[in-house]
Amino acid sequence: MAMFWYAAATTAALFCIIHFFRRRLCCRYPLFTDYPFLGMLPQVLCNLWRIHDFSVEVLKSHGGTGEFTGPWFTNMNYLVTSDPLNVHHVLSKNFNNYVKGPEFREIFQAFGDGIFTSDAEAWKYNRDIFHSLFKHRSFEVFLETTIRKKLQNSLLPMLDYLHQQGNVVDLQDVFNRFTFDNICSIVLGYDPNCLSVDFPEVEIEKAFNQAEESIIYRHTMPKRLWKLQKWLQIGHEKKMTESCKTFDQFIHALIASRSEALRKYNNNETGEACADLLTTLMREGKEQHDARFLRDAVFNLFVAGRDTITSALTWFFWLVATNPLVEAKILEEINEIFGSNEKTPDDLSVEELKKLVYLHGAICETLRLFPPIPFERKQAVEADMLPSGHGVNPRAMLIFSLYAMGRFEEIWGEDCMEFKPERWISKKGGNVYVPSYKFIAFNAGPRTCLGKDLSFIQMKIVATAILRNFHIQVVEGCVAWPSLSIVLLMKDGLKVKITKRET
Protein backbone atom coordinates (compact mmCIF):
# COMPACT_ATOMS: atom_id res chain seq x y z
CA MET A 1 0.00 0.00 0.00
CA ALA A 2 2.87 2.35 0.86
CA MET A 3 4.38 1.74 -2.57
CA PHE A 4 1.05 2.59 -4.17
CA TRP A 5 0.81 5.94 -2.40
CA TYR A 6 4.47 6.67 -3.16
CA ALA A 7 3.92 5.94 -6.85
CA ALA A 8 0.75 8.03 -6.88
CA ALA A 9 2.51 10.98 -5.21
CA THR A 10 5.45 10.70 -7.61
CA THR A 11 3.13 10.58 -10.62
CA ALA A 12 1.17 13.59 -9.37
CA ALA A 13 4.37 15.55 -8.73
CA LEU A 14 5.72 14.65 -12.18
CA PHE A 15 2.40 15.66 -13.75
CA CYS A 16 2.50 19.02 -11.97
CA ILE A 17 6.10 19.65 -13.07
CA ILE A 18 5.25 18.81 -16.69
CA HIS A 19 2.15 21.02 -16.56
CA PHE A 20 4.19 23.84 -14.97
CA PHE A 21 6.83 23.81 -17.70
CA ARG A 22 4.17 23.42 -20.39
CA ARG A 23 2.53 26.61 -19.10
CA ARG A 24 5.90 28.34 -19.16
CA LEU A 25 6.46 27.29 -22.77
CA CYS A 26 2.96 28.33 -23.83
CA CYS A 27 3.09 31.66 -21.96
CA ARG A 28 6.02 33.40 -23.65
CA TYR A 29 5.12 36.95 -22.58
CA PRO A 30 3.94 36.71 -18.93
CA LEU A 31 2.63 39.89 -17.29
CA PHE A 32 3.24 38.62 -13.74
CA THR A 33 4.80 35.78 -11.80
CA ASP A 34 3.06 32.50 -12.64
CA TYR A 35 2.60 30.76 -9.29
CA PRO A 36 2.03 26.97 -9.15
CA PHE A 37 -1.70 26.15 -9.12
CA LEU A 38 -2.74 29.81 -8.61
CA GLY A 39 -1.25 31.21 -11.80
CA MET A 40 -1.13 35.01 -11.97
CA LEU A 41 -4.44 35.54 -10.19
CA PRO A 42 -2.94 36.57 -6.79
CA GLN A 43 -1.44 39.78 -8.23
CA VAL A 44 -4.76 40.70 -9.82
CA LEU A 45 -6.75 40.06 -6.63
CA CYS A 46 -4.27 42.07 -4.55
CA ASN A 47 -4.67 45.01 -6.91
CA LEU A 48 -8.34 44.57 -7.73
CA TRP A 49 -9.23 47.78 -5.88
CA ARG A 50 -6.99 49.73 -8.34
CA ILE A 51 -7.17 47.38 -11.30
CA HIS A 52 -7.31 50.07 -14.01
CA ASP A 53 -4.18 51.95 -12.88
CA PHE A 54 -2.51 48.62 -12.15
CA SER A 55 -3.12 47.57 -15.76
CA VAL A 56 -1.42 50.77 -16.95
CA GLU A 57 1.69 50.06 -14.87
CA VAL A 58 1.93 46.43 -15.93
CA LEU A 59 1.34 47.03 -19.65
CA LYS A 60 3.84 49.89 -19.74
CA SER A 61 6.50 47.64 -18.23
CA HIS A 62 5.81 44.98 -20.90
CA GLY A 63 5.76 47.13 -24.03
CA GLY A 64 1.98 47.32 -24.17
CA THR A 65 1.18 43.61 -24.58
CA GLY A 66 1.48 40.51 -22.42
CA GLU A 67 -0.17 37.28 -21.31
CA PHE A 68 -2.19 36.54 -18.20
CA THR A 69 -2.70 32.95 -17.06
CA GLY A 70 -5.18 32.10 -14.32
CA PRO A 71 -5.23 29.18 -11.88
CA TRP A 72 -4.38 25.81 -13.36
CA PHE A 73 -7.12 23.97 -15.24
CA THR A 74 -9.44 27.01 -15.25
CA ASN A 75 -8.73 28.11 -18.83
CA MET A 76 -8.66 31.66 -17.45
CA ASN A 77 -6.01 32.85 -19.89
CA TYR A 78 -5.86 36.17 -21.74
CA LEU A 79 -3.65 38.13 -24.07
CA VAL A 80 -3.84 41.71 -22.80
CA THR A 81 -2.85 44.65 -24.99
CA SER A 82 -2.97 48.42 -25.27
CA ASP A 83 -1.09 48.60 -28.58
CA PRO A 84 -3.17 50.66 -31.07
CA LEU A 85 -1.84 48.64 -34.02
CA ASN A 86 -3.10 45.46 -32.37
CA VAL A 87 -6.43 47.13 -31.71
CA HIS A 88 -6.70 48.26 -35.34
CA HIS A 89 -5.84 44.76 -36.54
CA VAL A 90 -8.42 43.02 -34.35
CA LEU A 91 -11.29 45.50 -34.56
CA SER A 92 -10.91 46.52 -38.20
CA LYS A 93 -8.41 44.78 -40.49
CA ASN A 94 -9.16 41.23 -39.35
CA PHE A 95 -12.60 41.90 -37.88
CA ASN A 96 -14.20 38.61 -38.96
CA ASN A 97 -11.64 36.55 -37.03
CA TYR A 98 -12.51 38.09 -33.66
CA VAL A 99 -15.89 37.67 -32.00
CA LYS A 100 -17.52 38.14 -28.62
CA GLY A 101 -17.94 34.38 -28.32
CA PRO A 102 -20.02 32.10 -26.07
CA GLU A 103 -17.91 32.69 -22.95
CA PHE A 104 -18.44 36.43 -23.25
CA ARG A 105 -22.19 35.87 -23.44
CA GLU A 106 -22.05 33.71 -20.32
CA ILE A 107 -20.26 36.40 -18.33
CA PHE A 108 -22.52 39.15 -19.69
CA GLN A 109 -25.64 37.02 -19.18
CA ALA A 110 -27.68 40.04 -18.10
CA PHE A 111 -27.26 41.55 -21.59
CA GLY A 112 -29.03 38.60 -23.17
CA ASP A 113 -28.60 38.38 -26.95
CA GLY A 114 -28.48 42.11 -27.52
CA ILE A 115 -26.15 44.09 -29.77
CA PHE A 116 -23.26 44.12 -27.26
CA THR A 117 -23.06 40.34 -26.88
CA SER A 118 -24.22 38.97 -30.24
CA ASP A 119 -22.08 37.98 -33.23
CA ALA A 120 -22.51 37.29 -36.94
CA GLU A 121 -26.05 37.61 -38.31
CA ALA A 122 -27.67 38.33 -34.93
CA TRP A 123 -25.31 41.27 -34.43
CA LYS A 124 -25.86 42.57 -37.97
CA TYR A 125 -29.63 42.38 -37.50
CA ASN A 126 -29.45 44.34 -34.21
CA ARG A 127 -27.08 46.90 -35.68
CA ASP A 128 -29.19 47.46 -38.79
CA ILE A 129 -32.27 48.08 -36.65
CA PHE A 130 -30.56 50.56 -34.32
CA HIS A 131 -28.74 52.27 -37.18
CA SER A 132 -32.08 52.88 -38.85
CA LEU A 133 -33.59 54.24 -35.64
CA PHE A 134 -30.68 56.47 -34.58
CA LYS A 135 -30.08 58.02 -38.00
CA HIS A 136 -33.69 59.07 -38.40
CA ARG A 137 -34.03 62.84 -37.95
CA SER A 138 -37.30 62.45 -36.02
CA PHE A 139 -35.51 60.38 -33.36
CA GLU A 140 -32.73 62.95 -33.05
CA VAL A 141 -35.35 65.65 -32.49
CA PHE A 142 -37.18 63.43 -29.99
CA LEU A 143 -33.95 62.78 -28.07
CA GLU A 144 -32.98 66.47 -27.99
CA THR A 145 -36.48 67.49 -26.88
CA THR A 146 -36.53 64.89 -24.11
CA ILE A 147 -33.12 65.92 -22.76
CA ARG A 148 -33.83 69.65 -22.89
CA LYS A 149 -37.17 69.14 -21.15
CA LYS A 150 -35.54 67.15 -18.33
CA LEU A 151 -32.75 69.71 -18.12
CA GLN A 152 -35.10 72.69 -17.82
CA ASN A 153 -37.76 71.07 -15.63
CA SER A 154 -35.59 68.99 -13.30
CA LEU A 155 -31.79 69.27 -13.47
CA LEU A 156 -31.33 73.05 -13.46
CA PRO A 157 -34.05 73.64 -10.82
CA MET A 158 -32.47 70.94 -8.63
CA LEU A 159 -29.01 72.52 -8.92
CA ASP A 160 -30.52 75.89 -8.06
CA TYR A 161 -32.20 74.34 -5.01
CA LEU A 162 -28.91 72.75 -3.92
CA HIS A 163 -27.18 76.11 -4.33
CA GLN A 164 -29.77 77.79 -2.10
CA GLN A 165 -29.47 75.09 0.53
CA GLY A 166 -25.67 75.17 0.44
CA ASN A 167 -25.47 71.42 0.85
CA VAL A 168 -22.74 69.09 -0.36
CA VAL A 169 -24.12 66.82 -3.08
CA ASP A 170 -22.89 63.78 -4.97
CA LEU A 171 -22.90 65.09 -8.54
CA GLN A 172 -22.45 61.58 -9.92
CA ASP A 173 -25.67 60.54 -8.20
CA VAL A 174 -27.40 63.56 -9.73
CA PHE A 175 -26.17 62.60 -13.20
CA ASN A 176 -27.13 58.96 -12.58
CA ARG A 177 -30.69 60.04 -11.86
CA PHE A 178 -30.77 62.52 -14.73
CA THR A 179 -29.55 59.98 -17.32
CA PHE A 180 -31.74 57.21 -15.89
CA ASP A 181 -34.85 59.36 -16.28
CA ASN A 182 -33.74 60.33 -19.78
CA ILE A 183 -33.04 56.79 -20.96
CA CYS A 184 -36.33 55.56 -19.52
CA SER A 185 -38.16 58.32 -21.39
CA ILE A 186 -36.25 57.78 -24.63
CA VAL A 187 -36.34 53.97 -24.65
CA LEU A 188 -39.55 53.23 -22.74
CA GLY A 189 -41.60 56.41 -22.93
CA TYR A 190 -41.76 56.36 -19.12
CA ASP A 191 -40.20 58.84 -16.68
CA PRO A 192 -39.55 57.29 -13.22
CA ASN A 193 -38.70 60.78 -11.80
CA CYS A 194 -35.51 59.66 -10.04
CA LEU A 195 -34.23 63.23 -10.26
CA SER A 196 -36.01 65.08 -7.48
CA VAL A 197 -34.85 66.99 -4.43
CA ASP A 198 -35.72 64.18 -2.02
CA PHE A 199 -33.40 61.77 -3.89
CA PRO A 200 -35.80 58.78 -3.83
CA GLU A 201 -34.45 55.25 -3.99
CA VAL A 202 -35.69 53.66 -7.19
CA GLU A 203 -35.65 49.88 -7.11
CA ILE A 204 -35.12 49.40 -10.83
CA GLU A 205 -32.11 51.75 -10.89
CA LYS A 206 -30.56 49.96 -7.90
CA ALA A 207 -31.09 46.58 -9.60
CA PHE A 208 -29.51 47.79 -12.81
CA ASN A 209 -26.41 49.04 -10.98
CA GLN A 210 -26.05 45.77 -9.07
CA ALA A 211 -26.20 43.65 -12.22
CA GLU A 212 -23.33 45.63 -13.74
CA GLU A 213 -21.22 45.40 -10.59
CA SER A 214 -21.66 41.62 -10.46
CA ILE A 215 -20.46 41.21 -14.04
CA ILE A 216 -16.99 42.55 -13.22
CA TYR A 217 -16.52 39.85 -10.58
CA ARG A 218 -17.15 37.17 -13.18
CA HIS A 219 -14.06 38.49 -14.97
CA THR A 220 -11.88 38.05 -11.90
CA MET A 221 -13.15 34.64 -10.77
CA PRO A 222 -12.57 31.22 -12.37
CA LYS A 223 -15.62 30.17 -14.36
CA ARG A 224 -16.23 27.07 -12.23
CA LEU A 225 -16.21 29.18 -9.05
CA TRP A 226 -18.75 31.81 -10.12
CA LYS A 227 -20.92 29.12 -11.68
CA LEU A 228 -20.85 27.23 -8.36
CA GLN A 229 -21.85 30.45 -6.58
CA LYS A 230 -24.65 30.87 -9.11
CA TRP A 231 -25.88 27.32 -8.46
CA LEU A 232 -25.72 27.86 -4.68
CA GLN A 233 -27.14 31.39 -5.04
CA ILE A 234 -24.56 33.06 -2.82
CA GLY A 235 -22.42 36.22 -3.02
CA HIS A 236 -22.52 38.37 -6.12
CA GLU A 237 -24.30 35.65 -8.09
CA LYS A 238 -27.28 35.87 -5.76
CA LYS A 239 -27.31 39.64 -6.22
CA MET A 240 -27.07 39.18 -9.99
CA THR A 241 -30.08 36.84 -10.03
CA GLU A 242 -32.17 39.16 -7.85
CA SER A 243 -31.29 42.30 -9.81
CA CYS A 244 -32.00 40.68 -13.20
CA LYS A 245 -35.34 39.42 -11.89
CA THR A 246 -36.29 42.93 -10.75
CA PHE A 247 -35.25 44.49 -14.05
CA ASP A 248 -36.98 41.82 -16.13
CA GLN A 249 -40.25 42.17 -14.24
CA PHE A 250 -40.14 45.93 -14.79
CA ILE A 251 -39.41 45.63 -18.52
CA HIS A 252 -41.88 42.83 -19.24
CA ALA A 253 -44.63 44.77 -17.47
CA LEU A 254 -43.96 47.77 -19.71
CA ILE A 255 -43.82 45.58 -22.82
CA ALA A 256 -47.21 44.05 -21.95
CA SER A 257 -48.69 47.48 -21.27
CA ARG A 258 -47.33 48.91 -24.53
CA SER A 259 -48.50 45.89 -26.50
CA GLU A 260 -52.02 46.38 -25.15
CA ALA A 261 -51.92 50.09 -26.04
CA LEU A 262 -50.78 49.33 -29.58
CA ARG A 263 -53.57 46.82 -30.06
CA LYS A 264 -56.05 49.33 -28.71
CA TYR A 265 -54.92 52.03 -31.11
CA ASN A 266 -54.40 49.63 -34.03
CA ASN A 267 -50.63 50.21 -34.07
CA ASN A 268 -50.79 53.57 -35.84
CA GLU A 269 -53.23 55.77 -33.99
CA THR A 270 -51.44 56.76 -30.80
CA GLY A 271 -51.35 60.34 -32.02
CA GLU A 272 -47.69 60.73 -31.04
CA ALA A 273 -45.42 62.69 -33.38
CA CYS A 274 -42.49 60.50 -32.40
CA ALA A 275 -42.63 57.41 -30.21
CA ASP A 276 -40.05 56.03 -27.81
CA LEU A 277 -37.70 53.28 -29.02
CA LEU A 278 -39.66 50.42 -27.44
CA THR A 279 -42.88 51.49 -29.16
CA THR A 280 -41.04 51.93 -32.46
CA LEU A 281 -39.48 48.45 -32.19
CA MET A 282 -42.85 46.91 -31.41
CA ARG A 283 -44.55 48.74 -34.27
CA GLU A 284 -41.94 47.94 -36.90
CA GLY A 285 -40.98 44.46 -35.71
CA LYS A 286 -44.52 43.23 -35.15
CA GLU A 287 -44.35 39.42 -34.97
CA GLN A 288 -40.55 39.31 -35.47
CA HIS A 289 -39.75 40.88 -32.11
CA ASP A 290 -40.85 38.73 -29.21
CA ALA A 291 -40.70 39.75 -25.53
CA ARG A 292 -37.19 38.33 -25.10
CA PHE A 293 -35.79 40.29 -28.06
CA LEU A 294 -37.39 43.49 -26.76
CA ARG A 295 -36.10 42.89 -23.22
CA ASP A 296 -32.53 42.34 -24.45
CA ALA A 297 -32.71 45.38 -26.74
CA VAL A 298 -33.89 47.56 -23.85
CA PHE A 299 -31.14 46.36 -21.47
CA ASN A 300 -28.42 47.02 -24.06
CA LEU A 301 -29.84 50.46 -24.85
CA PHE A 302 -29.85 51.26 -21.13
CA VAL A 303 -26.14 50.49 -20.82
CA ALA A 304 -25.29 52.37 -24.01
CA GLY A 305 -27.32 55.48 -23.27
CA ARG A 306 -27.29 55.80 -19.51
CA ASP A 307 -24.12 54.67 -17.72
CA THR A 308 -21.73 55.85 -20.40
CA ILE A 309 -23.18 59.38 -20.32
CA THR A 310 -23.15 59.40 -16.51
CA SER A 311 -19.50 58.36 -16.51
CA ALA A 312 -18.48 60.94 -19.11
CA LEU A 313 -20.31 63.83 -17.40
CA THR A 314 -18.98 62.94 -13.95
CA TRP A 315 -15.35 62.78 -15.01
CA PHE A 316 -15.77 65.86 -17.23
CA PHE A 317 -17.04 68.04 -14.39
CA TRP A 318 -14.37 66.74 -12.03
CA LEU A 319 -11.63 67.57 -14.54
CA VAL A 320 -13.11 70.99 -15.33
CA ALA A 321 -13.64 71.82 -11.64
CA THR A 322 -10.04 70.93 -10.83
CA ASN A 323 -8.64 72.81 -13.85
CA PRO A 324 -9.90 76.41 -13.54
CA LEU A 325 -8.06 77.61 -16.65
CA VAL A 326 -9.93 75.06 -18.74
CA GLU A 327 -13.21 76.13 -17.16
CA ALA A 328 -12.46 79.78 -17.98
CA LYS A 329 -11.72 78.94 -21.63
CA ILE A 330 -14.92 76.93 -22.00
CA LEU A 331 -16.96 79.80 -20.55
CA GLU A 332 -15.20 82.29 -22.80
CA GLU A 333 -16.06 80.18 -25.84
CA ILE A 334 -19.70 79.79 -24.76
CA ASN A 335 -20.02 83.57 -24.28
CA GLU A 336 -18.43 84.22 -27.67
CA ILE A 337 -20.94 81.93 -29.36
CA PHE A 338 -23.83 83.65 -27.59
CA GLY A 339 -22.68 87.20 -28.14
CA SER A 340 -25.80 89.35 -27.90
CA ASN A 341 -27.99 86.29 -28.48
CA GLU A 342 -30.77 86.12 -25.94
CA LYS A 343 -30.86 82.33 -26.06
CA THR A 344 -30.01 80.37 -22.96
CA PRO A 345 -27.41 77.54 -23.22
CA ASP A 346 -30.09 74.87 -23.18
CA ASP A 347 -31.71 76.45 -26.26
CA LEU A 348 -28.62 76.13 -28.47
CA SER A 349 -29.24 74.29 -31.73
CA VAL A 350 -27.12 71.33 -32.81
CA GLU A 351 -25.34 73.54 -35.37
CA GLU A 352 -24.51 76.09 -32.67
CA LEU A 353 -23.25 73.34 -30.37
CA LYS A 354 -20.86 72.20 -33.11
CA LYS A 355 -19.17 75.61 -32.96
CA LEU A 356 -18.00 74.90 -29.39
CA VAL A 357 -14.61 73.58 -30.49
CA TYR A 358 -12.83 73.93 -27.15
CA LEU A 359 -15.70 72.27 -25.29
CA HIS A 360 -15.59 69.41 -27.79
CA GLY A 361 -11.86 69.07 -27.11
CA ALA A 362 -12.45 69.01 -23.35
CA ILE A 363 -15.02 66.23 -23.74
CA CYS A 364 -12.68 64.21 -25.98
CA GLU A 365 -9.89 64.69 -23.47
CA THR A 366 -12.17 63.42 -20.71
CA LEU A 367 -13.04 60.32 -22.75
CA ARG A 368 -9.36 59.72 -23.51
CA LEU A 369 -8.37 59.70 -19.84
CA PHE A 370 -11.55 58.08 -18.52
CA PRO A 371 -13.23 55.99 -21.23
CA PRO A 372 -16.69 54.95 -19.97
CA ILE A 373 -16.03 51.34 -21.00
CA PRO A 374 -12.48 50.75 -19.67
CA PHE A 375 -11.80 47.41 -21.36
CA GLU A 376 -12.91 45.40 -24.40
CA ARG A 377 -12.87 41.63 -24.75
CA LYS A 378 -12.60 39.49 -27.93
CA GLN A 379 -12.12 35.83 -28.83
CA ALA A 380 -10.14 34.60 -31.83
CA VAL A 381 -11.80 32.20 -34.25
CA GLU A 382 -8.60 31.05 -35.98
CA ALA A 383 -4.86 31.38 -35.29
CA ASP A 384 -3.43 34.81 -36.05
CA MET A 385 -0.35 36.98 -35.63
CA LEU A 386 -0.72 40.48 -34.18
CA PRO A 387 1.32 43.44 -35.50
CA SER A 388 3.23 43.43 -32.18
CA GLY A 389 4.54 39.95 -33.02
CA HIS A 390 2.39 38.11 -30.48
CA GLY A 391 0.80 34.92 -31.74
CA VAL A 392 -2.88 34.25 -31.14
CA ASN A 393 -4.16 30.69 -30.86
CA PRO A 394 -7.64 29.60 -31.98
CA ARG A 395 -10.27 30.45 -29.32
CA ALA A 396 -7.72 32.60 -27.45
CA MET A 397 -9.12 35.47 -25.38
CA LEU A 398 -7.91 39.05 -25.93
CA ILE A 399 -8.48 42.01 -23.64
CA PHE A 400 -7.88 45.62 -24.69
CA SER A 401 -7.27 48.09 -21.88
CA LEU A 402 -8.87 51.27 -23.22
CA TYR A 403 -8.01 52.98 -19.94
CA ALA A 404 -4.30 52.21 -20.41
CA MET A 405 -4.33 53.36 -24.04
CA GLY A 406 -5.18 56.89 -22.95
CA ARG A 407 -2.12 56.95 -20.69
CA PHE A 408 0.63 55.81 -23.03
CA GLU A 409 3.35 58.31 -23.99
CA GLU A 410 3.89 56.45 -27.27
CA ILE A 411 0.33 57.29 -28.30
CA TRP A 412 -0.32 60.72 -26.79
CA GLY A 413 3.10 62.15 -25.97
CA GLU A 414 4.95 62.90 -22.75
CA ASP A 415 2.10 65.08 -21.49
CA CYS A 416 -0.41 62.20 -21.78
CA MET A 417 -1.39 62.45 -18.10
CA GLU A 418 -2.36 66.12 -18.45
CA PHE A 419 -5.93 67.27 -19.07
CA LYS A 420 -5.23 69.28 -22.18
CA PRO A 421 -8.17 70.09 -24.51
CA GLU A 422 -5.75 71.96 -26.78
CA ARG A 423 -4.41 68.66 -28.12
CA TRP A 424 -7.75 68.27 -29.92
CA ILE A 425 -7.63 71.66 -31.66
CA SER A 426 -5.82 72.28 -34.95
CA LYS A 427 -3.81 75.38 -35.85
CA LYS A 428 -6.77 76.50 -37.98
CA GLY A 429 -9.07 76.36 -34.97
CA GLY A 430 -10.98 73.20 -35.85
CA ASN A 431 -11.13 69.88 -34.06
CA VAL A 432 -8.32 67.40 -34.75
CA TYR A 433 -9.30 63.98 -36.10
CA VAL A 434 -7.76 61.05 -34.24
CA PRO A 435 -8.18 57.48 -35.62
CA SER A 436 -10.66 55.42 -33.61
CA TYR A 437 -8.08 52.72 -32.89
CA LYS A 438 -6.13 55.32 -30.91
CA PHE A 439 -9.07 57.24 -29.45
CA ILE A 440 -11.17 54.18 -28.74
CA ALA A 441 -13.80 55.50 -26.34
CA PHE A 442 -16.47 54.75 -28.96
CA ASN A 443 -14.93 51.43 -30.08
CA ALA A 444 -13.50 51.03 -33.61
CA GLY A 445 -14.18 49.28 -36.89
CA PRO A 446 -17.61 47.86 -37.77
CA ARG A 447 -18.63 47.90 -34.08
CA THR A 448 -18.05 51.64 -33.69
CA CYS A 449 -20.72 53.10 -31.41
CA LEU A 450 -23.83 54.08 -33.37
CA GLY A 451 -24.72 56.73 -30.81
CA LYS A 452 -21.41 58.63 -30.92
CA ASP A 453 -22.81 61.84 -32.42
CA LEU A 454 -25.89 61.71 -30.19
CA SER A 455 -23.64 61.29 -27.13
CA PHE A 456 -21.68 64.43 -27.95
CA ILE A 457 -24.93 66.36 -28.42
CA GLN A 458 -26.22 65.25 -25.02
CA MET A 459 -22.98 66.07 -23.21
CA LYS A 460 -22.68 69.49 -24.83
CA ILE A 461 -26.28 70.40 -24.01
CA VAL A 462 -25.75 69.51 -20.34
CA ALA A 463 -22.25 71.01 -20.07
CA THR A 464 -23.17 74.39 -21.57
CA ALA A 465 -26.31 74.74 -19.46
CA ILE A 466 -24.62 73.85 -16.16
CA LEU A 467 -21.38 75.78 -16.69
CA ARG A 468 -23.19 78.93 -17.82
CA ASN A 469 -25.44 78.89 -14.75
CA PHE A 470 -23.37 77.32 -11.98
CA HIS A 471 -19.86 76.96 -10.60
CA ILE A 472 -18.97 73.44 -9.42
CA GLN A 473 -16.48 73.17 -6.56
CA VAL A 474 -15.13 69.78 -5.49
CA VAL A 475 -15.15 69.52 -1.70
CA GLU A 476 -11.89 69.06 0.14
CA GLY A 477 -11.06 65.41 0.74
CA CYS A 478 -13.08 64.08 -2.18
CA VAL A 479 -10.93 61.48 -3.97
CA ALA A 480 -11.82 60.65 -7.57
CA TRP A 481 -11.16 56.93 -7.80
CA PRO A 482 -12.42 54.59 -10.57
CA SER A 483 -14.97 52.05 -9.40
CA LEU A 484 -14.72 48.32 -9.96
CA SER A 485 -17.40 48.01 -12.61
CA ILE A 486 -17.83 47.41 -16.32
CA VAL A 487 -18.51 51.16 -16.60
CA LEU A 488 -15.91 53.63 -15.31
CA LEU A 489 -17.76 55.50 -12.57
CA MET A 490 -16.30 57.11 -9.43
CA LYS A 491 -16.08 54.69 -6.54
CA ASP A 492 -17.33 57.08 -3.85
CA GLY A 493 -19.10 59.56 -6.07
CA LEU A 494 -18.21 63.19 -6.83
CA LYS A 495 -18.88 65.37 -3.77
CA VAL A 496 -19.31 69.03 -4.71
CA LYS A 497 -20.78 72.35 -3.62
CA ILE A 498 -22.76 74.34 -6.15
CA THR A 499 -22.87 78.10 -6.40
CA LYS A 500 -24.87 80.29 -8.76
CA ARG A 501 -22.77 81.96 -11.42
CA GLU A 502 -23.29 85.70 -11.65
CA THR A 503 -24.60 86.85 -15.02
Side-chain angles (χ1 to χ4, degrees):
M1 181 62 72
M3 287 296 293
F4 170 78
W5 287 114
Y6 176 77
T10 302
T11 302
L14 182 61
F15 179 78
C16 288
I17 291 171
I18 293 172
H19 184 72
F20 177 75
F21 282 104
R22 181 177 176 275
R23 282 169 63 98
R24 286 296 178 90
L25 288 172
C26 293
C27 184
R28 293 178 295 168
Y29 311 99
L31 289 171
F32 321 109
T33 303
D34 188 4
Y35 293 102
F37 299 105
L38 298 176
M40 303 178 190
L41 189 60
Q43 292 101 313
V44 171
L45 293 179
C46 288
N47 291 277
L48 197 59
W49 61 280
R50 56 183 291 269
I51 192 64
H52 301 299
D53 288 305
F54 180 60
S55 70
V56 177
E57 297 167 8
V58 172
L59 287 168
K60 278 186 176 182
S61 66
H62 288 79
T65 306
E67 294 175 79
F68 169 85
T69 54
W72 292 10
F73 312 112
T74 62
N75 198 31
M76 194 178 172
N77 306 321
Y78 307 102
L79 180 64
V80 187
T81 185
S82 56
D83 186 329
L85 293 180
N86 288 345
V87 171
H88 185 47
H89 177 83
V90 173
L91 298 184
S92 298
K93 297 182 74 175
N94 202 12
F95 172 77
N96 290 329
N97 191 50
Y98 294 92
V99 297
K100 296 290 186 177
E103 292 186 30
F104 182 95
R105 283 187 283 278
E106 278 192 307
I107 291 176
F108 286 81
Q109 172 196 347
F111 285 66
D113 295 321
I115 191 170
F116 287 144
T117 57
S118 57
D119 289 310
E121 293 304 317
W123 167 74
K124 289 179 182 177
Y125 180 74
N126 274 278
R127 188 172 179 85
D128 287 345
I129 287 175
F130 292 134
H131 183 269
S132 174
L133 292 175
F134 292 168
K135 294 303 179 182
H136 203 286
R137 176 56 186 163
S138 62
F139 172 69
E140 187 176 297
V141 172
F142 174 61
L143 180 139
E144 289 177 44
T145 303
T146 301
I147 293 171
R148 292 183 193 281
K149 181 179 177 181
K150 195 68 186 179
L151 182 75
Q152 295 167 356
N153 295 344
S154 299
L155 182 57
L156 293 180
M158 169 177 268
L159 295 178
D160 189 53
Y161 171 82
L162 293 170
H163 150 68
Q164 294 176 24
Q165 295 297 310
N167 296 333
V168 172
V169 65
D170 179 359
L171 194 58
Q172 179 171 262
D173 185 29
V174 172
F175 288 143
N176 244 330
R177 294 168 180 276
F178 173 72
T179 56
F180 191 78
D181 285 351
N182 276 331
I183 202 64
C184 280
S185 298
I186 293 165
V187 176
L188 304 172
Y190 163 78
D191 187 348
N193 289 312
C194 296
L195 187 64
S196 60
V197 293
D198 56 343
F199 288 88
E201 183 175 297
V202 179
E203 186 180 19
I204 180 61
E205 186 205 14
K206 184 179 179 182
F208 191 80
N209 293 339
Q210 183 58 61
E212 291 185 327
E213 183 180 332
S214 298
I215 287 172
I216 197 72
Y217 281 89
R218 289 188 175 184
H219 279 85
T220 60
M221 295 291 176
K223 182 178 177 179
R224 288 186 179 91
L225 181 56
W226 68 255
K227 281 206 164 188
L228 176 62
Q229 290 180 334
K230 181 181 178 182
W231 182 67
L232 295 173
Q233 281 299 287
I234 59 175
H236 279 277
E237 290 303 314
K238 181 180 179 181
K239 293 178 181 178
M240 169 76 90
T241 300
E242 292 173 347
S243 59
C244 285
K245 182 180 179 181
T246 299
F247 184 85
D248 289 354
Q249 288 175 343
F250 171 73
I251 294 301
H252 286 302
L254 279 173
I255 291 172
S257 173
R258 197 60 46 80
S259 180
E260 179 63 28
L262 287 173
R263 280 196 297 269
K264 181 178 178 182
Y265 292 103
N266 197 25
N267 289 348
N268 294 308
E269 300 173 7
T270 59
E272 297 176 23
C274 181
D276 55 86
L277 289 177
L278 176 60
T279 300
T280 303
L281 283 171
M282 294 177 74
R283 278 176 175 164
E284 297 183 359
K286 297 182 180 178
E287 300 302 323
Q288 296 175 327
H289 298 159
D290 58 16
R292 179 180 175 184
F293 175 89
L294 294 170
R295 178 267 172 211
D296 293 346
V298 166
F299 192 96
N300 282 254
L301 287 168
F302 263 64
V303 175
R306 181 251 184 169
D307 284 3
T308 53
I309 299 296
T310 297
S311 170
L313 287 174
T314 302
W315 290 107
F316 170 81
F317 277 95
W318 175 70
L319 287 167
V320 169
T322 53
N323 289 271
L325 288 178
V326 171
E327 181 183 28
K329 289 181 179 180
I330 293 175
L331 285 169
E332 181 182 1
E333 181 181 60
I334 292 173
N335 291 329
E336 284 179 0
I337 297 298
F338 284 127
S340 59
N341 198 330
E342 294 182 358
K343 286 185 177 181
T344 59
D346 42 296
D347 286 332
L348 283 179
S349 68
V350 172
E351 291 305 314
E352 289 171 316
L353 289 170
K354 288 179 180 178
K355 296 178 183 179
L356 298 171
V357 175
Y358 193 84
L359 174 61
H360 186 90
I363 293 173
C364 288
E365 191 72 340
T366 301
L367 297 173
R368 175 183 73 85
L369 289 168
F370 299 100
I373 307 298
F375 63 88
E376 174 72 36
R377 172 179 169 145
K378 289 287 188 178
Q379 183 175 19
V381 177
E382 299 177 353
D384 193 18
M385 180 66 70
L386 297 180
S388 61
H390 295 79
V392 179
N393 295 323
R395 301 188 72 242
M397 296 292 179
L398 283 77
I399 290 182
F400 306 131
S401 175
L402 281 62
Y403 184 90
M405 287 181 69
R407 289 165 161 72
F408 264 57
E409 291 86 351
E410 294 84 354
I411 303 174
W412 300 100
E414 294 182 358
D415 61 353
C416 65
M417 295 305 294
E418 295 180 31
F419 178 56
K420 191 175 179 182
E422 288 80 5
R423 77 173 80 243
W424 296 90
I425 302 174
S426 68
K427 292 180 180 179
K428 294 183 179 180
N431 286 120
V432 173
Y433 167 76
V434 177
S436 57
Y437 60 88
K438 288 178 62 178
F439 177 54
I440 197 173
F442 294 96
N443 214 321
R447 281 190 180 259
T448 296
C449 177
L450 291 170
K452 178 180 177 179
D453 294 337
L454 297 176
S455 297
F456 274 111
I457 291 171
Q458 291 183 66
M459 287 186 281
K460 287 177 182 178
I461 289 173
V462 176
T464 52
I466 292 179
L467 289 174
R468 189 87 190 280
N469 288 284
F470 301 98
H471 172 66
I472 308 296
Q473 180 182 356
V474 179
V475 300
E476 188 176 350
C478 176
V479 178
W481 197 258
S483 64
L484 184 64
S485 177
I486 60 171
V487 179
L488 200 68
L489 299 170
M490 287 190 184
K491 184 176 182 294
D492 299 311
L494 177 58
K495 306 299 192 300
V496 302
K497 292 200 74 172
I498 297 168
T499 54
K500 191 83 171 178
R501 201 180 292 278
E502 294 183 7
T503 56

